[in-house]
């Protein structure tokens, strides 16, 4: 039997993505971002994102099908992000997927955005050894997962109890007078800084916190600590290097993310681990995680940075796994679920 040919649509935040995948082979991955429209607001504005999706979905779909050079009638199904994400943005993608599935008379698969960040790694490194650990880290989510089966059994072992790591990057960038989005600019600034210049706190790593939140994250305190440190220096007229603050902040984030990831692998006897999500493109996080996983004897899988951010390929890749698992198609009246838990892979 030939590998499933799936078209995936992603519209959970500010990227409109359409990907086409056959098995683990990526045929097309087209993305239109509305990031520039949100810069002046310092963050994603849901209404602006939704309108941008409406304008981009058809051109992106047309470009993806042209790139893949496949006949839409040959598709085995349409996969689409059903959640989590911004409700209005999700609705645009869902509506497009439903229309396409109805027109082509193809099955519809409403899948989980977070699980897609795990599945996208298959396009680069092949089938996923299970059980496997995963760290999903982005502007809206920071979670540690145990992946027993990508299509049917994902368990959230830990998550952030307040800010996501990417959100903390955005807020610290604002404090430092750097542009939005904060992740890339802080990563760039940190390259010229001293990560040991300032010892910022590592959230939920104290003994009493570890008893209750061993695998959970917290970045709100770190964000506040950076803000107060900067305010104190400015109040006292002390000159400081933004690069040192950026590097020290980034080191605190990478340190706690990787330490808890390794701890989870050791606790559950996991020998394979992957990282996904937009912040997974961060240079320091990728380097430190590779070093610590190697020391722990864990094989690390890291998708290339271009596949870490939101895209349609990850949704198509997950759709392939759902089809191969023989799971039933979604109903045509499924709704967007902005709070869809990662354990629910298929709606």
């Amino acid at each position: 039997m030939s590998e499933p040919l799936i078209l995936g649509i992603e519209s959970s935040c500010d990227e409109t993505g359409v990907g086409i995948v056959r098995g683990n082979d990526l045929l097309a991955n087209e993305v239109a971002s509305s990031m520039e429209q949100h810069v002046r607001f310092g963050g994603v504005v849901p209404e602006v994102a939704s309108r941008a999706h409406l304008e981009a979905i058809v051109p992106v779909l047309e470009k993806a099908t042209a790139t893949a050079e496949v006949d839409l009638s040959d598709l085995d199904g349409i996969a689409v992000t059903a959640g989590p994400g911004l409700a209005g943005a999700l609705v645009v993608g869902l509506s497009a997927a439903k229309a396409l599935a109805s027109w082509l008379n193809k099955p519809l698969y409403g899948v989980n955005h977070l699980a897609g960040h795990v599945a996208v790694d298959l396009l680069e490194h092949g089938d996923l050894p299970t059980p496997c650990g995963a760290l999903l880290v982005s502007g809206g989510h920071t979670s540690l997962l145990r992946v027993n089966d990508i299509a049917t059994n994902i368990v959230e072992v830990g998550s952030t109890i307040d800010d996501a790591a990417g959100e903390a990057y955005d807020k610290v960038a604002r404090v430092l007078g750097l542009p939005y989005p904060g992740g890339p600019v802080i990563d760039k600034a940190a390259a010229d800084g001293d990560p040991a210049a300032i010892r910022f706190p590592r959230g939920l790593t104290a003994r009493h916190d570890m008893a209750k939140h061993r695998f959970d994250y917290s970045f709100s305190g770190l964000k506040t600590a950076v803000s107060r440190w900067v305010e104190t220096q400015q109040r006292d007229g002390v000159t400081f290097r933004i690069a040192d603050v950026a590097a020290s902040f980034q080191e605190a984030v990478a340190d706690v993310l990787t330490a808890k990831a390794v701890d989870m692998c050791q606790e559950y006897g996991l020998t394979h681990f992957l990282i996904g999500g937009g912040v997974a493109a961060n240079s320091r996080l990728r380097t430190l995680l590779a070093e610590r996983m190697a020391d722990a004897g864990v094989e690390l899988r890291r998708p290339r940075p271009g596949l870490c951010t939101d895209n349609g390929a990850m949704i198509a890749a997950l759709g392939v796994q759902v089809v191969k698992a023989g799971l039933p198609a979604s109903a045509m009246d499924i709704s967007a679920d902005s709070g869809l838990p990662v354990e629910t892979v298929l709606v």
Side-chain angles (χ1 to χ4, degrees):
M1 181 179 294
S2 61
E3 291 285 343
L5 177 64
I6 301 295
L7 182 145
I9 297 175
E10 155 62 22
S11 68
S12 66
C13 191
D14 58 348
E15 276 93 21
T16 308
V18 175
I20 300 177
V21 170
R22 187 189 300 276
N24 289 338
D25 295 328
L26 178 59
L27 305 183
N29 185 32
E30 302 297 336
V31 179
S33 176
S34 61
M35 181 75 70
E36 291 302 318
Q37 299 180 45
H38 304 283
V39 169
R40 65 192 180 98
F41 300 106
V44 176
V45 179
E47 293 81 0
V48 173
S50 298
R51 184 176 295 277
H53 287 306
L54 281 170
E55 296 172 349
I57 188 65
V58 172
V60 172
L61 176 60
E62 291 175 340
K63 190 173 182 180
T65 53
T67 300
E69 297 182 338
V70 299
D71 192 318
L72 290 179
S73 63
D74 293 332
L75 290 174
D76 294 303
I78 313 295
V80 59
T81 300
L86 302 174
L90 290 168
V91 167
V92 177
L94 269 170
S95 298
K98 289 177 180 179
L100 196 59
S102 178
W103 172 53
L104 296 170
N105 194 28
K106 300 293 183 180
L108 175 73
Y109 299 94
V111 298
N112 193 297
H113 172 86
L114 301 180
H117 277 301
V118 177
V120 76
D121 183 75
L122 278 67
L123 302 179
E124 197 156 27
H125 300 116
D127 291 340
L128 187 67
T130 52
C132 173
L135 171 63
L136 299 187
V137 54
S138 67
H141 304 277
T142 304
S143 302
L144 278 173
L145 310 176
R146 188 172 76 248
V147 183
N148 299 313
D149 184 280
I150 184 60
T152 63
N153 192 340
I154 298 178
V155 178
E156 186 174 67
V157 177
S159 64
T160 178
I161 64 172
D162 42 55
D163 292 352
E167 183 180 358
Y169 267 89
D170 291 338
K171 291 178 178 178
V172 168
R174 190 177 304 126
V175 168
L176 295 175
L178 299 174
Y180 172 87
V185 294
I186 286 183
D187 195 12
K188 182 178 180 179
D192 297 322
D194 178 6
I198 310 155
R199 175 68 184 185
F200 288 126
R202 274 64 169 164
L204 298 183
T205 57
R207 181 175 299 179
H208 66 277
D209 289 322
M210 290 291 284
K212 183 178 179 180
H213 295 288
R214 180 176 174 183
F215 301 117
D216 292 326
Y217 295 106
S218 171
F219 297 103
S220 180
L222 170 60
K223 170 203 66 181
T224 301
V226 175
S227 179
R228 288 178 176 171
W229 188 92
V230 170
E231 288 174 359
T232 298
Q233 307 310 303
Q234 293 174 336
R235 181 196 64 200
D236 296 341
V238 178
T239 300
F240 62 90
R241 298 181 69 238
I242 288 179
D244 288 342
V245 181
S248 298
F249 161 75
Q250 181 159 277
E251 190 68 16
V253 174
D255 184 18
V256 71
L257 284 174
T258 56
K260 294 203 173 199
V262 171
D263 188 23
M264 185 193 77
C265 288
Q266 294 174 332
E267 173 67 16
Y268 291 97
L270 303 174
T271 56
H272 292 82
F273 192 87
L274 69 86
I275 184 171
V279 182
N282 179 269
S283 62
R284 181 53 181 158
L285 175 57
R286 292 171 75 89
T287 299
L288 186 57
L289 187 61
E291 292 173 355
R292 288 182 168 176
M293 286 297 174
D295 290 342
V298 178
E299 181 178 329
L300 177 64
R301 295 163 62 118
R302 298 175 297 176
R304 61 181 181 271
L307 291 178
C308 290
T309 52
D310 295 348
N311 59 80
M314 70 186 204
I315 302 305
L318 182 55
V320 167
Q321 298 306 308
V322 166
V323 171
K324 291 176 71 172
L327 300 180
S330 304
M332 289 296 289
D333 63 351
I334 60 171
S335 301
D337 186 347
S338 58
L340 188 67
V342 68
E343 288 89 352
T344 304
V345 178
L346 176 66
V347 177

mmCIF file with all atom_site columns, all heavy atoms in Angstrom, residues 142-166:
data_model
loop_
_atom_site.group_PDB
_atom_site.id
_atom_site.type_symbol
_atom_site.label_atom_id
_atom_site.label_alt_id
_atom_site.label_comp_id
_atom_site.label_asym_id
_atom_site.label_entity_id
_atom_site.label_seq_id
_atom_site.pdbx_PDB_ins_code
_atom_site.Cartn_x
_atom_site.Cartn_y
_atom_site.Cartn_z
_atom_site.occupancy
_atom_site.B_iso_or_equiv
_atom_site.pdbx_formal_charge
_atom_site.auth_seq_id
_atom_site.auth_comp_id
_atom_site.auth_asym_id
_atom_site.auth_atom_id
_atom_site.pdbx_PDB_model_num
ATOM 1   N N   . THR A 1 142 ? 4.672  25.794 26.771 1.00 0.00 ? 142 THR A N   1
ATOM 2   C CA  . THR A 1 142 ? 5.922  25.175 27.202 1.00 0.00 ? 142 THR A CA  1
ATOM 3   C C   . THR A 1 142 ? 5.534  23.908 27.940 1.00 0.00 ? 142 THR A C   1
ATOM 4   O O   . THR A 1 142 ? 4.981  23.966 29.035 1.00 0.00 ? 142 THR A O   1
ATOM 5   C CB  . THR A 1 142 ? 6.736  26.101 28.127 1.00 0.00 ? 142 THR A CB  1
ATOM 6   O OG1 . THR A 1 142 ? 6.965  27.350 27.462 1.00 0.00 ? 142 THR A OG1 1
ATOM 7   C CG2 . THR A 1 142 ? 8.071  25.467 28.474 1.00 0.00 ? 142 THR A CG2 1
ATOM 8   N N   . SER A 1 143 ? 5.804  22.754 27.317 1.00 0.00 ? 143 SER A N   1
ATOM 9   C CA  . SER A 1 143 ? 5.348  21.485 27.867 1.00 0.00 ? 143 SER A CA  1
ATOM 10  C C   . SER A 1 143 ? 6.380  20.394 27.697 1.00 0.00 ? 143 SER A C   1
ATOM 11  O O   . SER A 1 143 ? 7.098  20.352 26.692 1.00 0.00 ? 143 SER A O   1
ATOM 12  C CB  . SER A 1 143 ? 4.044  21.018 27.181 1.00 0.00 ? 143 SER A CB  1
ATOM 13  O OG  . SER A 1 143 ? 3.014  21.963 27.310 1.00 0.00 ? 143 SER A OG  1
ATOM 14  N N   . LEU A 1 144 ? 6.439  19.502 28.676 1.00 0.00 ? 144 LEU A N   1
ATOM 15  C CA  . LEU A 1 144 ? 7.217  18.277 28.587 1.00 0.00 ? 144 LEU A CA  1
ATOM 16  C C   . LEU A 1 144 ? 6.236  17.131 28.347 1.00 0.00 ? 144 LEU A C   1
ATOM 17  O O   . LEU A 1 144 ? 5.259  16.980 29.083 1.00 0.00 ? 144 LEU A O   1
ATOM 18  C CB  . LEU A 1 144 ? 8.003  18.027 29.870 1.00 0.00 ? 144 LEU A CB  1
ATOM 19  C CG  . LEU A 1 144 ? 9.336  18.776 30.015 1.00 0.00 ? 144 LEU A CG  1
ATOM 20  C CD1 . LEU A 1 144 ? 9.911  18.551 31.407 1.00 0.00 ? 144 LEU A CD1 1
ATOM 21  C CD2 . LEU A 1 144 ? 10.338 18.330 28.954 1.00 0.00 ? 144 LEU A CD2 1
ATOM 22  N N   . LEU A 1 145 ? 6.507  16.331 27.325 1.00 0.00 ? 145 LEU A N   1
ATOM 23  C CA  . LEU A 1 145 ? 5.586  15.268 26.937 1.00 0.00 ? 145 LEU A CA  1
ATOM 24  C C   . LEU A 1 145 ? 6.277  13.911 26.930 1.00 0.00 ? 145 LEU A C   1
ATOM 25  O O   . LEU A 1 145 ? 7.480  13.816 26.654 1.00 0.00 ? 145 LEU A O   1
ATOM 26  C CB  . LEU A 1 145 ? 5.025  15.531 25.537 1.00 0.00 ? 145 LEU A CB  1
ATOM 27  C CG  . LEU A 1 145 ? 4.450  16.911 25.235 1.00 0.00 ? 145 LEU A CG  1
ATOM 28  C CD1 . LEU A 1 145 ? 4.055  16.989 23.770 1.00 0.00 ? 145 LEU A CD1 1
ATOM 29  C CD2 . LEU A 1 145 ? 3.258  17.212 26.136 1.00 0.00 ? 145 LEU A CD2 1
ATOM 30  N N   . ARG A 1 146 ? 5.488  12.879 27.198 1.00 0.00 ? 146 ARG A N   1
ATOM 31  C CA  . ARG A 1 146 ? 5.924  11.506 26.952 1.00 0.00 ? 146 ARG A CA  1
ATOM 32  C C   . ARG A 1 146 ? 5.080  10.982 25.803 1.00 0.00 ? 146 ARG A C   1
ATOM 33  O O   . ARG A 1 146 ? 3.857  10.884 25.914 1.00 0.00 ? 146 ARG A O   1
ATOM 34  C CB  . ARG A 1 146 ? 5.734  10.624 28.188 1.00 0.00 ? 146 ARG A CB  1
ATOM 35  C CG  . ARG A 1 146 ? 6.364  9.242  28.030 1.00 0.00 ? 146 ARG A CG  1
ATOM 36  C CD  . ARG A 1 146 ? 6.343  8.435  29.317 1.00 0.00 ? 146 ARG A CD  1
ATOM 37  N NE  . ARG A 1 146 ? 5.013  7.909  29.604 1.00 0.00 ? 146 ARG A NE  1
ATOM 38  C CZ  . ARG A 1 146 ? 4.255  8.294  30.614 1.00 0.00 ? 146 ARG A CZ  1
ATOM 39  N NH1 . ARG A 1 146 ? 4.678  9.255  31.434 1.00 0.00 ? 146 ARG A NH1 1
ATOM 40  N NH2 . ARG A 1 146 ? 3.065  7.769  30.824 1.00 0.00 ? 146 ARG A NH2 1
ATOM 41  N N   . VAL A 1 147 ? 5.719  10.721 24.684 1.00 0.00 ? 147 VAL A N   1
ATOM 42  C CA  . VAL A 1 147 ? 5.017  10.289 23.478 1.00 0.00 ? 147 VAL A CA  1
ATOM 43  C C   . VAL A 1 147 ? 5.094  8.773  23.385 1.00 0.00 ? 147 VAL A C   1
ATOM 44  O O   . VAL A 1 147 ? 6.132  8.208  23.026 1.00 0.00 ? 147 VAL A O   1
ATOM 45  C CB  . VAL A 1 147 ? 5.628  10.940 22.216 1.00 0.00 ? 147 VAL A CB  1
ATOM 46  C CG1 . VAL A 1 147 ? 4.837  10.528 20.974 1.00 0.00 ? 147 VAL A CG1 1
ATOM 47  C CG2 . VAL A 1 147 ? 5.662  12.451 22.357 1.00 0.00 ? 147 VAL A CG2 1
ATOM 48  N N   . ASN A 1 148 ? 3.987  8.119  23.709 1.00 0.00 ? 148 ASN A N   1
ATOM 49  C CA  . ASN A 1 148 ? 3.924  6.654  23.610 1.00 0.00 ? 148 ASN A CA  1
ATOM 50  C C   . ASN A 1 148 ? 3.499  6.229  22.208 1.00 0.00 ? 148 ASN A C   1
ATOM 51  O O   . ASN A 1 148 ? 3.920  5.183  21.717 1.00 0.00 ? 148 ASN A O   1
ATOM 52  C CB  . ASN A 1 148 ? 2.953  6.098  24.652 1.00 0.00 ? 148 ASN A CB  1
ATOM 53  C CG  . ASN A 1 148 ? 3.391  6.435  26.066 1.00 0.00 ? 148 ASN A CG  1
ATOM 54  O OD1 . ASN A 1 148 ? 4.550  6.271  26.429 1.00 0.00 ? 148 ASN A OD1 1
ATOM 55  N ND2 . ASN A 1 148 ? 2.472  6.947  26.873 1.00 0.00 ? 148 ASN A ND2 1
ATOM 56  N N   . ASP A 1 149 ? 2.661  7.035  21.586 1.00 0.00 ? 149 ASP A N   1
ATOM 57  C CA  . ASP A 1 149 ? 2.253  6.837  20.198 1.00 0.00 ? 149 ASP A CA  1
ATOM 58  C C   . ASP A 1 149 ? 1.801  8.188  19.678 1.00 0.00 ? 149 ASP A C   1
ATOM 59  O O   . ASP A 1 149 ? 0.923  8.817  20.271 1.00 0.00 ? 149 ASP A O   1
ATOM 60  C CB  . ASP A 1 149 ? 1.115  5.816  20.090 1.00 0.00 ? 149 ASP A CB  1
ATOM 61  C CG  . ASP A 1 149 ? 0.749  5.530  18.648 1.00 0.00 ? 149 ASP A CG  1
ATOM 62  O OD1 . ASP A 1 149 ? 0.018  6.345  18.050 1.00 0.00 ? 149 ASP A OD1 1
ATOM 63  O OD2 . ASP A 1 149 ? 1.185  4.499  18.107 1.00 0.00 ? 149 ASP A OD2 1
ATOM 64  N N   . ILE A 1 150 ? 2.401  8.637  18.595 1.00 0.00 ? 150 ILE A N   1
ATOM 65  C CA  . ILE A 1 150 ? 2.154  9.993  18.113 1.00 0.00 ? 150 ILE A CA  1
ATOM 66  C C   . ILE A 1 150 ? 0.694  10.229 17.750 1.00 0.00 ? 150 ILE A C   1
ATOM 67  O O   . ILE A 1 150 ? 0.175  11.332 17.889 1.00 0.00 ? 150 ILE A O   1
ATOM 68  C CB  . ILE A 1 150 ? 3.062  10.313 16.906 1.00 0.00 ? 150 ILE A CB  1
ATOM 69  C CG1 . ILE A 1 150 ? 2.887  11.763 16.450 1.00 0.00 ? 150 ILE A CG1 1
ATOM 70  C CG2 . ILE A 1 150 ? 2.806  9.355  15.757 1.00 0.00 ? 150 ILE A CG2 1
ATOM 71  C CD1 . ILE A 1 150 ? 3.201  12.789 17.476 1.00 0.00 ? 150 ILE A CD1 1
ATOM 72  N N   . ALA A 1 151 ? -0.019 9.192  17.332 1.00 0.00 ? 151 ALA A N   1
ATOM 73  C CA  . ALA A 1 151 ? -1.402 9.367  16.892 1.00 0.00 ? 151 ALA A CA  1
ATOM 74  C C   . ALA A 1 151 ? -2.430 9.115  17.980 1.00 0.00 ? 151 ALA A C   1
ATOM 75  O O   . ALA A 1 151 ? -3.559 9.611  17.898 1.00 0.00 ? 151 ALA A O   1
ATOM 76  C CB  . ALA A 1 151 ? -1.700 8.450  15.695 1.00 0.00 ? 151 ALA A CB  1
ATOM 77  N N   . THR A 1 152 ? -2.046 8.363  19.009 1.00 0.00 ? 152 THR A N   1
ATOM 78  C CA  . THR A 1 152 ? -3.065 7.929  19.974 1.00 0.00 ? 152 THR A CA  1
ATOM 79  C C   . THR A 1 152 ? -2.721 8.124  21.441 1.00 0.00 ? 152 THR A C   1
ATOM 80  O O   . THR A 1 152 ? -3.617 8.065  22.287 1.00 0.00 ? 152 THR A O   1
ATOM 81  C CB  . THR A 1 152 ? -3.389 6.438  19.771 1.00 0.00 ? 152 THR A CB  1
ATOM 82  O OG1 . THR A 1 152 ? -2.196 5.654  20.031 1.00 0.00 ? 152 THR A OG1 1
ATOM 83  C CG2 . THR A 1 152 ? -3.877 6.163  18.357 1.00 0.00 ? 152 THR A CG2 1
ATOM 84  N N   . ASN A 1 153 ? -1.456 8.336  21.768 1.00 0.00 ? 153 ASN A N   1
ATOM 85  C CA  . ASN A 1 153 ? -1.107 8.322  23.191 1.00 0.00 ? 153 ASN A CA  1
ATOM 86  C C   . ASN A 1 153 ? 0.039  9.282  23.502 1.00 0.00 ? 153 ASN A C   1
ATOM 87  O O   . ASN A 1 153 ? 1.206  8.920  23.452 1.00 0.00 ? 153 ASN A O   1
ATOM 88  C CB  . ASN A 1 153 ? -0.722 6.893  23.609 1.00 0.00 ? 153 ASN A CB  1
ATOM 89  C CG  . ASN A 1 153 ? -0.618 6.731  25.121 1.00 0.00 ? 153 ASN A CG  1
ATOM 90  O OD1 . ASN A 1 153 ? -0.472 7.700  25.854 1.00 0.00 ? 153 ASN A OD1 1
ATOM 91  N ND2 . ASN A 1 153 ? -0.692 5.501  25.584 1.00 0.00 ? 153 ASN A ND2 1
ATOM 92  N N   . ILE A 1 154 ? -0.335 10.520 23.804 1.00 0.00 ? 154 ILE A N   1
ATOM 93  C CA  . ILE A 1 154 ? 0.632  11.534 24.241 1.00 0.00 ? 154 ILE A CA  1
ATOM 94  C C   . ILE A 1 154 ? 0.240  11.982 25.645 1.00 0.00 ? 154 ILE A C   1
ATOM 95  O O   . ILE A 1 154 ? -0.919 12.309 25.893 1.00 0.00 ? 154 ILE A O   1
ATOM 96  C CB  . ILE A 1 154 ? 0.644  12.749 23.293 1.00 0.00 ? 154 ILE A CB  1
ATOM 97  C CG1 . ILE A 1 154 ? 1.072  12.333 21.878 1.00 0.00 ? 154 ILE A CG1 1
ATOM 98  C CG2 . ILE A 1 154 ? 1.568  13.836 23.822 1.00 0.00 ? 154 ILE A CG2 1
ATOM 99  C CD1 . ILE A 1 154 ? 1.051  13.471 20.877 1.00 0.00 ? 154 ILE A CD1 1
ATOM 100 N N   . VAL A 1 155 ? 1.203  11.985 26.551 1.00 0.00 ? 155 VAL A N   1
ATOM 101 C CA  . VAL A 1 155 ? 0.940  12.343 27.948 1.00 0.00 ? 155 VAL A CA  1
ATOM 102 C C   . VAL A 1 155 ? 1.734  13.597 28.308 1.00 0.00 ? 155 VAL A C   1
ATOM 103 O O   . VAL A 1 155 ? 2.951  13.652 28.085 1.00 0.00 ? 155 VAL A O   1
ATOM 104 C CB  . VAL A 1 155 ? 1.328  11.200 28.900 1.00 0.00 ? 155 VAL A CB  1
ATOM 105 C CG1 . VAL A 1 155 ? 1.079  11.620 30.350 1.00 0.00 ? 155 VAL A CG1 1
ATOM 106 C CG2 . VAL A 1 155 ? 0.561  9.928  28.563 1.00 0.00 ? 155 VAL A CG2 1
ATOM 107 N N   . GLU A 1 156 ? 1.056  14.597 28.833 1.00 0.00 ? 156 GLU A N   1
ATOM 108 C CA  . GLU A 1 156 ? 1.749  15.799 29.298 1.00 0.00 ? 156 GLU A CA  1
ATOM 109 C C   . GLU A 1 156 ? 2.281  15.547 30.703 1.00 0.00 ? 156 GLU A C   1
ATOM 110 O O   . GLU A 1 156 ? 1.526  15.379 31.654 1.00 0.00 ? 156 GLU A O   1
ATOM 111 C CB  . GLU A 1 156 ? 0.807  17.000 29.296 1.00 0.00 ? 156 GLU A CB  1
ATOM 112 C CG  . GLU A 1 156 ? 1.520  18.309 29.622 1.00 0.00 ? 156 GLU A CG  1
ATOM 113 C CD  . GLU A 1 156 ? 0.625  19.528 29.491 1.00 0.00 ? 156 GLU A CD  1
ATOM 114 O OE1 . GLU A 1 156 ? -0.320 19.644 30.305 1.00 0.00 ? 156 GLU A OE1 1
ATOM 115 O OE2 . GLU A 1 156 ? 0.846  20.333 28.577 1.00 0.00 ? 156 GLU A OE2 1
ATOM 116 N N   . VAL A 1 157 ? 3.590  15.537 30.828 1.00 0.00 ? 157 VAL A N   1
ATOM 117 C CA  . VAL A 1 157 ? 4.247  15.271 32.109 1.00 0.00 ? 157 VAL A CA  1
ATOM 118 C C   . VAL A 1 157 ? 4.407  16.561 32.908 1.00 0.00 ? 157 VAL A C   1
ATOM 119 O O   . VAL A 1 157 ? 4.325  16.564 34.133 1.00 0.00 ? 157 VAL A O   1
ATOM 120 C CB  . VAL A 1 157 ? 5.620  14.603 31.881 1.00 0.00 ? 157 VAL A CB  1
ATOM 121 C CG1 . VAL A 1 157 ? 6.347  14.391 33.206 1.00 0.00 ? 157 VAL A CG1 1
ATOM 122 C CG2 . VAL A 1 157 ? 5.447  13.268 31.157 1.00 0.00 ? 157 VAL A CG2 1
ATOM 123 N N   . GLY A 1 158 ? 4.631  17.664 32.214 1.00 0.00 ? 158 GLY A N   1
ATOM 124 C CA  . GLY A 1 158 ? 4.786  18.952 32.880 1.00 0.00 ? 158 GLY A CA  1
ATOM 125 C C   . GLY A 1 158 ? 4.509  20.085 31.913 1.00 0.00 ? 158 GLY A C   1
ATOM 126 O O   . GLY A 1 158 ? 4.529  19.901 30.692 1.00 0.00 ? 158 GLY A O   1
ATOM 127 N N   . SER A 1 159 ? 4.229  21.263 32.467 1.00 0.00 ? 159 SER A N   1
ATOM 128 C CA  . SER A 1 159 ? 3.943  22.423 31.622 1.00 0.00 ? 159 SER A CA  1
ATOM 129 C C   . SER A 1 159 ? 4.223  23.699 32.412 1.00 0.00 ? 159 SER A C   1
ATOM 130 O O   . SER A 1 159 ? 4.507  23.655 33.608 1.00 0.00 ? 159 SER A O   1
ATOM 131 C CB  . SER A 1 159 ? 2.491  22.410 31.140 1.00 0.00 ? 159 SER A CB  1
ATOM 132 O OG  . SER A 1 159 ? 1.607  22.534 32.246 1.00 0.00 ? 159 SER A OG  1
ATOM 133 N N   . THR A 1 160 ? 4.117  24.836 31.752 1.00 0.00 ? 160 THR A N   1
ATOM 134 C CA  . THR A 1 160 ? 4.305  26.097 32.460 1.00 0.00 ? 160 THR A CA  1
ATOM 135 C C   . THR A 1 160 ? 3.071  26.408 33.305 1.00 0.00 ? 160 THR A C   1
ATOM 136 O O   . THR A 1 160 ? 1.943  26.133 32.893 1.00 0.00 ? 160 THR A O   1
ATOM 137 C CB  . THR A 1 160 ? 4.562  27.256 31.477 1.00 0.00 ? 160 THR A CB  1
ATOM 138 O OG1 . THR A 1 160 ? 4.698  28.470 32.219 1.00 0.00 ? 160 THR A OG1 1
ATOM 139 C CG2 . THR A 1 160 ? 3.436  27.410 30.477 1.00 0.00 ? 160 THR A CG2 1
ATOM 140 N N   . ILE A 1 161 ? 3.313  26.957 34.482 1.00 0.00 ? 161 ILE A N   1
ATOM 141 C CA  . ILE A 1 161 ? 2.190  27.316 35.351 1.00 0.00 ? 161 ILE A CA  1
ATOM 142 C C   . ILE A 1 161 ? 1.834  28.791 35.187 1.00 0.00 ? 161 ILE A C   1
ATOM 143 O O   . ILE A 1 161 ? 0.882  29.263 35.809 1.00 0.00 ? 161 ILE A O   1
ATOM 144 C CB  . ILE A 1 161 ? 2.494  27.009 36.832 1.00 0.00 ? 161 ILE A CB  1
ATOM 145 C CG1 . ILE A 1 161 ? 3.655  27.864 37.343 1.00 0.00 ? 161 ILE A CG1 1
ATOM 146 C CG2 . ILE A 1 161 ? 2.795  25.523 37.018 1.00 0.00 ? 161 ILE A CG2 1
ATOM 147 C CD1 . ILE A 1 161 ? 3.886  27.744 38.846 1.00 0.00 ? 161 ILE A CD1 1
ATOM 148 N N   . ASP A 1 162 ? 2.604  29.517 34.354 1.00 0.00 ? 162 ASP A N   1
ATOM 149 C CA  . ASP A 1 162 ? 2.284  30.926 34.093 1.00 0.00 ? 162 ASP A CA  1
ATOM 150 C C   . ASP A 1 162 ? 2.688  31.277 32.663 1.00 0.00 ? 162 ASP A C   1
ATOM 151 O O   . ASP A 1 162 ? 2.061  30.821 31.722 1.00 0.00 ? 162 ASP A O   1
ATOM 152 C CB  . ASP A 1 162 ? 2.935  31.862 35.132 1.00 0.00 ? 162 ASP A CB  1
ATOM 153 C CG  . ASP A 1 162 ? 4.370  31.482 35.466 1.00 0.00 ? 162 ASP A CG  1
ATOM 154 O OD1 . ASP A 1 162 ? 5.189  31.376 34.534 1.00 0.00 ? 162 ASP A OD1 1
ATOM 155 O OD2 . ASP A 1 162 ? 4.691  31.325 36.663 1.00 0.00 ? 162 ASP A OD2 1
ATOM 156 N N   . ASP A 1 163 ? 3.720  32.079 32.487 1.00 0.00 ? 163 ASP A N   1
ATOM 157 C CA  . ASP A 1 163 ? 4.153  32.479 31.151 1.00 0.00 ? 163 ASP A CA  1
ATOM 158 C C   . ASP A 1 163 ? 4.820  31.325 30.410 1.00 0.00 ? 163 ASP A C   1
ATOM 159 O O   . ASP A 1 163 ? 5.532  30.516 31.011 1.00 0.00 ? 163 ASP A O   1
ATOM 160 C CB  . ASP A 1 163 ? 5.161  33.627 31.232 1.00 0.00 ? 163 ASP A CB  1
ATOM 161 C CG  . ASP A 1 163 ? 4.540  34.928 31.721 1.00 0.00 ? 163 ASP A CG  1
ATOM 162 O OD1 . ASP A 1 163 ? 3.307  34.972 31.846 1.00 0.00 ? 163 ASP A OD1 1
ATOM 163 O OD2 . ASP A 1 163 ? 5.285  35.877 31.978 1.00 0.00 ? 163 ASP A OD2 1
ATOM 164 N N   . ALA A 1 164 ? 4.610  31.265 29.102 1.00 0.00 ? 164 ALA A N   1
ATOM 165 C CA  . ALA A 1 164 ? 5.378  30.364 28.266 1.00 0.00 ? 164 ALA A CA  1
ATOM 166 C C   . ALA A 1 164 ? 6.746  30.987 28.040 1.00 0.00 ? 164 ALA A C   1
ATOM 167 O O   . ALA A 1 164 ? 6.925  32.202 28.199 1.00 0.00 ? 164 ALA A O   1
ATOM 168 C CB  . ALA A 1 164 ? 4.665  30.142 26.934 1.00 0.00 ? 164 ALA A CB  1
ATOM 169 N N   . ALA A 1 165 ? 7.719  30.182 27.652 1.00 0.00 ? 165 ALA A N   1
ATOM 170 C CA  . ALA A 1 165 ? 9.078  30.697 27.457 1.00 0.00 ? 165 ALA A CA  1
ATOM 171 C C   . ALA A 1 165 ? 9.114  31.782 26.385 1.00 0.00 ? 165 ALA A C   1
ATOM 172 O O   . ALA A 1 165 ? 9.761  32.824 26.558 1.00 0.00 ? 165 ALA A O   1
ATOM 173 C CB  . ALA A 1 165 ? 10.019 29.548 27.082 1.00 0.00 ? 165 ALA A CB  1
ATOM 174 N N   . GLY A 1 166 ? 8.407  31.558 25.281 1.00 0.00 ? 166 GLY A N   1
ATOM 175 C CA  . GLY A 1 166 ? 8.398  32.553 24.206 1.00 0.00 ? 166 GLY A CA  1
ATOM 176 C C   . GLY A 1 166 ? 7.773  33.860 24.640 1.00 0.00 ? 166 GLY A C   1
ATOM 177 O O   . GLY A 1 166 ? 8.206  34.952 24.212 1.00 0.00 ? 166 GLY A O   1
#
